[in-house]
Amino acid sequence: MKWSNYQQKIFESIAPSHNMLIEAVAGSGKTTTIIEIVKLLKKKGLVSRNNGNGLVCAFNKHIEVTLSQKIKGTKFVSKTLNAIGHGILVRHSYPRQIKINTNKYYSICEQVIDYFSPSYLFELKLKGLVNAEYKGKKNGVIGFERLKARRKSDYPYVFDEFNDFVQVVNTCRKEYSKHFLSIEDLQNLMAEYPLEISDYLKKKELHQTIAVEAINKALEYGINSYLNESTIDFSDQLWLPLTMGLFPITKYDWIIVDESQDLNLNQARLIKVLGKSSSTYIFVGDSKQSIYLFNGAKPDCMSLIKKYFNCNKYPLSLCYRCPPNHLKLAKEYNPQIEAFKQEDGLIKQLTITEVRDLVKGCYQTGTEILLISRLNYIFFDVLCQCAFGDKIKVSLLGKDLAGELVKLARQILPSRFTDFSKINQILNGYVEYYSEQMDSSKADYCKCLMSTWRYIEPSTINDLENVLNSVIISEGVIKFGSIHRAKGTESDHVVILGDNLLPYIPTNRELTSKETQQEENLTYVAFTRSKKNLYLVPYTNGNDEHREVELNLNDDNIFGADINYGF
């Protein structure tokens, strides 16, 4: 294989104790470069049978498996950071078996409220912990809404909603490696992230004191839950080893980190723990593809890594994937990207009818096509048209969105409810409700459900589940997904649905500088998926109705939710 000048420079510069930060643009062959680095280290005897060992940190389980196959026969292993942290916790809890509970801190935060408030309605107001009446039972058809604000002016408060408290606790475990926070730590957190918190908490030190006390109590309960019950969630796999000073048995001489732009601070800290004083670190990533702010990954993560690990920076700027005219769109967001290909590809604007015709043609010929959008319900509406109107089997990128929709339908539509003719009116009400509650994922999912009922009329929720399962398959040539989920994918034919919404700008609030950068990064990701043909489909919906559903810049979970990225 003929290597680019950028790659040759990287290979020539590899040396012990020479830490490297490789800025690899989209489609630059970074995985191929990582594998070649591993082979070179073996060839040079720097990591061989009798000398040294190495680790390739993978972003998720799928990448871990792929890299493991390609570096087989070397002294390198490929693991996710979550898997490494899990192994540390397993060793220190032996012989007890680790139990994973993704709702662990939701329950813990309820316990913290119990701790501060033996009598909910009186003590909560006195302590100022939340602005709400505590709802221990389900609240009508809404269900599972633990706290609902009633009279905000009645008393000062710290958190508007119970979920806001959970959100802050989860974010702390990604930002800090300690379990005792100060007011200054909380202030830094509020300045850094778009947290859903009350104005009182932003402005009044008394409320910050109460909040820190509650957060620290939740963190204390989290540690005790591991020590006494061996219960953890996915964020615990990183946070607990660091905050408790638990160390791995194996440390590595060479550590290569893939997708470095998506590291949060605790992941970076764990990487440091996995090394020796003489270890060499090689970080590979694209700062313009940092799109996981909700998981604590900062848009300037690569710059922080360069400083923290004292790295020398190397560019990998040649894109082998996209035609030159496609990269002209991407260059607005990353001027460093260069085209390897000489011939331009197709860029064409389509209507929804033309998109459906294109999808039908690809389906009949078995040609892969990727259809993506910033907001879930935009691509899901087109998915429904193709699946139900054109009888086409489709696939979804990433998680089981169909399952999440059915789950939400069961929550908001009780089994006794049978009048599905009013479903649109009911779902519209929930869109408004969840938007007011700033639960953007559920508002988005409600719009997806509205698309479903627009094209089919299931008589029960079980029928809804069966119909979705009948048209959505695990592997197919017609692939739909969000831009978040499309990262790491490519296709000859890419359709960007709602390209006129990029970069996405909410109208109900100003974005922070980091949020603005992340939206620009998402636009860059969208424009760098295509290998041949790029189709742009403007989104129109009456009076720009889509902007009624304002997102927290996370198409999957509320900000700070517990997410499994690799175990």
Side-chain angles (χ1 to χ4, degrees):
M1 180 175 181
K2 184 177 180 181
W3 303 108
S4 69
N5 292 335
Y6 295 117
Q7 290 168 317
Q8 289 175 357
K9 178 65 175 177
I10 290 168
F11 300 150
E12 292 168 359
S13 302
I14 295 172
S17 301
H18 182 74
N19 296 340
M20 305 173 72
L21 180 77
I22 301 173
E23 270 280 6
V25 301
S28 60
K30 64 181 180 61
T31 301
T32 303
T33 302
I34 289 173
I35 295 167
E36 183 63 19
I37 290 173
V38 170
K39 292 178 179 178
L40 282 174
L41 289 171
K42 179 182 178 181
K43 184 177 180 180
K44 292 180 178 181
L46 295 173
V47 180
S48 60
R49 179 178 300 178
N50 301 317
N51 181 40
N53 62 352
L55 169 69
V56 179
C57 294
F59 179 66
N60 57 38
K61 189 67 177 179
H62 173 74
I63 297 175
E64 174 192 317
V65 172
T66 301
L67 287 172
S68 294
Q69 294 170 346
K70 294 183 177 181
I71 62 176
K72 192 174 182 179
T74 71
K75 282 194 69 178
F76 270 85
V77 296
S78 177
K79 294 183 179 182
T80 67
L81 290 169
N82 281 76
I84 292 171
H86 186 89
I88 294 172
L89 295 176
V90 167
R91 182 168 69 88
H92 285 276
S93 66
Y94 183 83
R96 293 175 300 170
Q97 188 174 358
I98 290 288
K99 300 182 289 292
I100 293 182
N101 177 8
T102 57
N103 292 321
K104 170 181 171 178
Y105 283 86
Y106 191 96
S107 300
I108 282 176
C109 288
E110 287 183 321
Q111 295 174 34
V112 171
I113 290 179
D114 292 349
Y115 172 84
F116 282 111
S117 177
S119 57
Y120 297 135
L121 298 183
F122 177 73
E123 291 290 345
L124 275 178
K125 294 181 181 181
L126 183 64
K127 197 66 179 178
L129 182 61
V130 294
N131 170 36
E133 294 180 6
Y134 186 82
K135 293 288 183 182
K137 299 180 179 180
K138 294 182 181 179
N139 181 21
V141 297
I142 300 296
F144 308 110
E145 298 300 329
R146 308 299 296 182
L147 297 166
K148 185 177 180 181
R150 291 296 178 88
R151 298 177 297 275
K152 292 188 175 182
S153 60
D154 283 358
Y155 50 86
Y157 54 93
V158 175
F159 298 104
D160 282 339
E161 297 286 335
F162 175 75
N163 280 340
D164 299 344
F165 180 32
V166 181
Q167 166 196 19
V168 172
V169 171
N170 284 334
T171 307
C172 287
R173 294 185 298 125
K174 296 166 185 175
E175 182 77 6
Y176 299 112
S177 59
K178 52 189 175 182
H179 58 272
F180 191 84
L181 271 60
S182 65
I183 291 179
E184 183 180 1
D185 293 327
L186 178 61
Q187 291 170 342
N188 291 337
L189 203 71
M190 291 189 295
E192 192 78 18
Y193 296 101
L195 299 171
E196 297 302 331
I197 52 181
S198 73
D199 290 335
Y200 285 96
L201 186 55
K202 295 176 184 176
K203 300 174 182 177
K204 296 184 179 296
E205 189 167 312
L206 171 62
H207 294 77
Q208 293 172 9
T209 301
I210 296 170
V212 166
E213 186 178 353
I215 292 167
N216 288 339
K217 182 60 67 174
L219 298 178
E220 176 189 335
Y221 284 2
I223 294 174
N224 290 337
S225 177
Y226 165 69
L227 291 175
N228 300 328
E229 304 167 11
S230 297
T231 301
I232 64 172
D233 70 359
F234 295 119
S235 293
D236 276 345
Q237 292 171 338
L238 303 169
W239 177 67
L240 284 175
L242 294 169
T243 194
M244 297 177 66
L246 308 178
F247 297 102
I249 295 177
T250 303
K251 295 203 171 190
Y252 299 92
D253 297 292
W254 291 80
I255 297 179
I256 304 173
V257 184
D258 189 19
E259 302 288 2
S260 300
Q261 77 280 349
D262 293 322
L263 295 175
N264 60 39
L265 290 182
N266 277 346
Q267 288 171 320
R269 292 179 182 118
L270 184 58
I271 289 169
K272 194 75 170 179
V273 170
L274 295 172
K276 308 172 184 177
S277 59
S278 59
S279 293
T280 304
Y281 300 88
I282 301 176
F283 295 89
V284 186
D286 183 356
S287 58
K288 299 301 182 181
Q289 293 193 70
S290 177
I291 58 174
Y292 292 102
L293 180 61
F294 62 87
N295 194 44
K298 307 173 192 297
D300 58 348
C301 178
M302 296 286 277
S303 298
L304 297 174
I305 288 171
K306 182 178 183 296
K307 182 178 180 180
Y308 186 49
F309 288 88
N310 191 26
C311 294
N312 298 275
K313 187 175 180 179
Y314 295 85
L316 193 57
S317 302
L318 197 60
C319 174
Y320 295 93
R321 176 188 298 152
C322 304
N325 57 336
H326 295 193
L327 292 185
K328 285 183 180 179
L329 299 174
K331 272 182 174 290
E332 182 178 348
Y333 306 98
N334 187 359
Q336 306 306 316
I337 194 167
E338 304 172 13
F340 173 78
K341 295 179 178 179
Q342 301 298 314
E343 295 184 4
D344 284 343
L346 174 69
I347 300 178
K348 186 177 181 180
Q349 189 173 95
L350 299 181
T351 64
I352 292 297
T353 300
E354 291 171 327
V355 169
R356 290 177 65 176
D357 290 339
L358 176 63
V359 170
K360 281 188 281 188
C362 289
Y363 186 67
Q364 292 167 357
T365 59
T367 303
E368 181 186 275
I369 185 170
L370 178 64
L371 301 97
I372 59 177
S373 64
R374 174 63 182 89
L375 311 179
N376 281 318
Y377 71 83
I378 293 178
F379 80 72
F380 201 80
D381 187 80
V382 180
L383 180 153
C384 289
Q385 294 184 51
C386 294
F388 304 129
D390 302 324
K391 309 302 180 185
I392 290 174
K393 302 285 186 181
V394 299
S395 296
L396 283 170
L397 300 177
K399 70 176 186 179
D400 180 18
L401 177 60
E404 292 294 321
L405 296 181
V406 172
K407 179 181 177 182
L408 178 61
R410 294 191 190 281
Q411 289 181 6
I412 64 179
L413 302 174
S415 57
R416 66 179 181 273
F417 182 83
T418 57
D419 188 2
F420 282 90
S421 63
K422 297 181 180 178
I423 190 68
N424 195 65
Q425 177 183 351
I426 293 170
L427 288 174
N428 258 321
Y430 276 106
V431 168
E432 181 180 352
Y433 171 77
Y434 286 129
S435 297
E436 289 176 353
Q437 300 300 312
M438 296 302 292
D439 194 338
S440 58
S441 62
K442 286 186 179 179
D444 196 19
Y445 286 175
C446 284
K447 285 230 164 186
C448 291
L449 287 172
M450 290 169 65
S451 293
T452 305
W453 261 278
R454 190 175 298 128
Y455 302 106
I456 59 173
E457 294 183 352
S459 58
T460 67
I461 296 177
N462 285 339
D463 287 345
L464 168 68
E465 183 175 22
N466 293 334
V467 169
L468 289 177
N469 288 338
S470 70
V471 297
I472 298 175
I473 58 179
S474 57
E475 293 293 335
V477 295
I478 313 301
K479 302 179 185 295
F480 285 88
S482 67
I483 298 174
H484 273 97
R485 291 292 175 178
K487 182 171 168 289
T489 65
E490 62 181 16
S491 181
D492 285 344
H493 308 280
V494 174
V495 179
I496 302 178
L497 302 164
D499 68 290
N500 56 317
L501 305 185
L502 303 176
Y504 182 73
I505 303 175
T507 57
N508 65 339
R509 65 182 180 88
E510 291 186 7
L511 299 181
T512 66
S513 59
K514 287 183 171 57
E515 291 175 292
T516 300
Q517 181 62 61
Q518 179 174 252
E519 289 303 315
E520 292 177 354
N521 291 352
L522 281 163
T523 306
Y524 167 72
V525 169
F527 285 143
T528 53
R529 301 304 99 196
S530 50
K531 296 195 290 183
K532 291 183 179 179
N533 300 327
L534 178 62
Y535 303 97
L536 306 177
V537 186
Y539 178 77
T540 57
N541 187 22
N543 296 321
D544 212 12
E545 182 182 349
H546 71 277
R547 294 193 181 275
E548 293 179 7
V549 183
E550 300 297 351
L551 298 189
N552 291 337
L553 307 184
N554 167 15
D555 75 324
D556 294 321
N557 304 75
I558 59 169
F559 183 93
D562 181 49
I563 302 171
N564 176 15
Y565 279 98
F567 179 75

